[in-house]
Amino acid sequence: MNAFTFTPENEAKFLALLERYLQKSSLTLPSLWMVQYQEGWISTEAMKYLAQKLDCSPMDIYSVASFYTMFNLKPVGKYHIQLCKTLSCMLRGSEQMSHHLEKKLGIKVGETTKDMKFTLTHVECLGSCGTAPCMSLNDDYVENLTLEKLDDIIDGLKS
Ligand code: FES
């Protein structure tokens, strides 16, 4: 018995997509997104479930899910901050911002606050080097970060 199943809405979306693609493997990314929006993260059970539906191995699903940093392979807080630590962002202060966020949130990089509100992670280049330093906050990019801007964002989300 699998612990994960799509909601009826996601199952309907999956079946609609199935008709549009010649190969089931083409549904890997959209299916992973559906899992993540349904559960907030992608569990081993969900990967096994997708593997069955897409006629592939759980490792095939894992290899895709683990390649992209936007997929969460463990539970995350309501607000997932993914701070870029690659060169352009680092040269423009992302390390200092990381320490600032750790202090402000009371967690280390890779951790989630006890109230499950914030998760802080580091990621490689977000492809927005021209507006470094930057981070993603759930589905949005926040660019040209400053310590003041971070404070405003976090304080706004806390209240
Ligand atoms: S180095 Fe941070 S977005 Fe490219």
Side-chain angles (χ1 to χ4, degrees), residues 91-111:
L91 289 173
R92 293 188 40 91
S94 66
E95 197 162 335
Q96 186 191 4
M97 287 170 190
S98 180
H99 294 314
H100 185 74
L101 282 170
E102 284 183 326
K103 203 169 165 191
K104 193 165 180 77
L105 297 172
I107 54 174
K108 295 285 179 200
V109 172
E111 293 179 349

Side-chain angles (χ1 to χ4, degrees), residues 15-28:
L15 292 174
L17 287 171
L18 204 52
E19 291 186 11
R20 285 186 18 208
Y21 292 99
L22 292 175
Q23 294 184 345
K24 279 188 171 181
S25 60
S26 302
L27 272 75
T28 305

Side-chain angles (χ1 to χ4, degrees), residues 84 86 88-89 125-129 134:
C84 175
T86 310
S88 300
C89 289
C125 183
L126 290 168
S128 187
C129 314
C134 67

Side-chain angles (χ1 to χ4, degrees), residues 82-146:
Q82 293 185 294
L83 185 65
C84 175
K85 287 298 299 291
T86 310
L87 189 62
S88 300
C89 289
M90 190 171 260
L91 289 173
R92 293 188 40 91
S94 66
E95 197 162 335
Q96 186 191 4
M97 287 170 190
S98 180
H99 294 314
H100 185 74
L101 282 170
E102 284 183 326
K103 203 169 165 191
K104 193 165 180 77
L105 297 172
I107 54 174
K108 295 285 179 200
V109 172
E111 293 179 349
T112 299
T113 55
K114 281 197 180 77
D115 62 2
M116 291 300 289
K117 207 159 181 187
F118 296 95
T119 297
L120 175 63
T121 52
H122 283 167
V123 289
E124 297 302 327
C125 183
L126 290 168
S128 187
C129 314
T131 55
C134 67
M135 67 181 193
S136 66
L137 176 61
N138 294 350
D139 291 338
D140 297 316
Y141 269 22
V142 188
E143 300 160 305
N144 296 307
L145 286 171
T146 61

Side-chain angles (χ1 to χ4, degrees), residues 53-68:
K53 288 181 91 66
L54 298 174
D55 294 333
C56 62
S57 71
M59 189 51 77
D60 290 331
I61 302 294
Y62 175 77
S63 66
V64 176
S66 60
F67 180 79
Y68 296 102

